[in-house]
Amino acid sequence: VTGLAASAITTTGATLSWTTLSGAINYDVDYKLTTSTTWTNKITGTTAVSTSLTGLTAGTLYDWRVRANCTGATGAYSQAQITTTAASCGTVTGLAASAITSTGATLSWTTLSGAINYDVDYKLTTSTTWTNKITGKTAVSTSLTGLTAGTLYDWRVRANCTGATGAYSQAQFTSTSPCPGPYDVSTNGTYTGAALIPLNTDIKGTISASSDIDYFKFTITTAGTATINLTTLPANYNLTLYSTNGTTSLKTSTNSGTINDSISNYGFGMGTYYVKVSPSGSAANASSCYTLRVKTVTATGAALQPGQNDPSLGAPSNIENSLALSVKIYPNPSKEKVTVYLIGDNTQKMLSIHDLAGRMVYQGPLADVFTTLDVTNLANGIYIFSVHAQNGQLLHNERFMKN
C-alpha cells in the first residue's frame, strides 16, 4: 500500500488514509505510541481507504501501518507517523470583584470556551505567598471570607482544559473599612484623646453632629514628606494638621461642599502629629463615613513595638509593674474567642490589635477584669495585642495567634 496520509489531526484524534491498491480486497490498520512495542489493531478487513482514530493523547507521536489483503495473499505493511496537536487552554478574562465588605468579597470571571473548571488563589498584596481558595471549581464565581478590613488583596484565576492548564489572570480589590472604623473612638473629641492611627491605611469616621470633632494622631519615625487626604465626604468637612504639641495649627484644607480636602507633600520631622476632621457650619452625617488617609511620600512611620510608649508621651515607664497590673490573654492561640484578663489597677484601659504589617484591626475599651472578643473574622496569622492607659501609654504587648 502507498499514499499513506494523515488529516484532521486534533489533540485526541486523526483521519488516516491511503491509495487504493489494485487487486486488494480489503485492508488492515494498526497504530501505537512510537515509544511502545505493542501495536493496537484499529480495523481488520475494511474495504474503505480511510479510517479515523480517537482517544489519543495530546501532543504525542504515534506510528500507524496498513496492509492489503488480496485473493490468497496478504501484502507487507506500509508505515507512517502522526503527532497529535498539543493541548492548549486559553486565558480567563472578565475578572471582577463585587459585594466587597470589610471581611469578604465575591470574585467572578467570564466563562472560557473549552474550560472544564477553574483554580482560584488570593493573597495580601504585600505577601509573596498565595492562598488557594478553591481548585477545580466548575462555577465562574467564588466568595472570600475572613479578610482584613481596609486591605489591598491580589487574586488570580486559571482554567483547566482537557490535557492542559491555562495561564493565570490576575486582579486586585480592597476590602472596605467598617463605618465608623475602630479609630473613631469616644475619646477623640479632643487631641488628648486622639487615637493613634497607622500610616497608609484608610481610616473611617463620622461627624454625627455639628458639634462633633474627630482628632487622630500619627507617628513619623523618619523625617520626610507625607500627604493627608480626606475623601468620601458626605458633607462639608474641614481638615487641619497640628504640630507635635497638638495645639499649633500647621496647615488647613477647607474646600467647599463635598470636594475632597488634602494637605499635600508636607514636610515632617520625627514625632507624633495630630490631624482634626471638623464640620463646616452645621454640616454632619451620622450614617455615612469620611475616609482619612495619611500617605507617606518620603517619610516613614511604624506601629508601636513591645516595650515602647507612644513617642509623643516622652520616656517610657513600666506602668504595668508600678501599678501592680497583670495582663493575661487566653486562650492563645484561638480560632473563635479570646479573653483579656486584667488583674490589679482598675482604671480604664484600651485594647488595640495590629497585624504584623502594622494595620490596626481592632480598638476598644477593656472591662475592669474580663473582656472577651470574637476573633472569628480575623484572618489566620499572628497579631499584636496592646493594652494602653487612657493617656495612650503602652502597658502591655503580647503576640497572639489566630488559627
Side-chain angles (χ1 to χ4, degrees), residues 4-6 9 14 16 28-42 51 53 56-57 59-66 77-84:
L4 277 65
I9 301 172
L16 310 179
D28 303 333
V29 182
D30 304 326
Y31 72 100
K32 69 178 181 70
L33 291 168
T34 299
T35 55
S36 174
T37 58
T38 303
W39 290 92
T40 298
N41 177 248
K42 172 59 179 73
T51 189
L53 300 180
L56 304 181
T57 301
T60 304
L61 182 63
Y62 285 86
D63 297 329
W64 67 283
R65 65 186 185 181
V66 59
Y77 278 109
S78 294
Q79 188 170 324
Q81 290 183 320
I82 59 167
T83 300
T84 52

Side-chain angles (χ1 to χ4, degrees), residues 197-250:
I197 63 174
L199 304 178
N200 303 305
T201 302
D202 286 344
I203 307 301
K204 297 288 187 177
T206 57
I207 299 296
S208 58
S210 60
S211 59
D212 187 14
I213 296 175
D214 291 343
Y215 281 88
F216 304 92
K217 60 185 177 181
F218 59 93
T219 299
I220 300 296
T221 56
T222 302
T225 57
T227 293
I228 306 171
N229 291 318
L230 184 64
T231 60
T232 66
L233 297 177
N236 186 6
Y237 302 156
N238 297 326
L239 178 67
T240 306
L241 172 66
Y242 290 91
S243 67
T244 55
N245 62 19
T247 58
T248 302
S249 175
L250 300 177

Side-chain angles (χ1 to χ4, degrees), residues 265-317:
N265 293 308
Y266 191 87
F268 292 92
M270 293 175 59
T272 296
Y273 294 82
Y274 296 80
V275 61
K276 179 178 74 173
V277 179
S278 57
S280 177
S282 60
N285 191 312
S287 58
S288 295
C289 273
Y290 60 79
T291 303
L292 176 70
R293 188 180 185 95
V294 181
K295 179 183 178 182
T296 56
V297 181
T298 60
T300 59
L304 292 177
Q305 299 300 314
Q308 288 184 329
N309 283 34
D310 181 329
S312 66
L313 301 175
S317 61

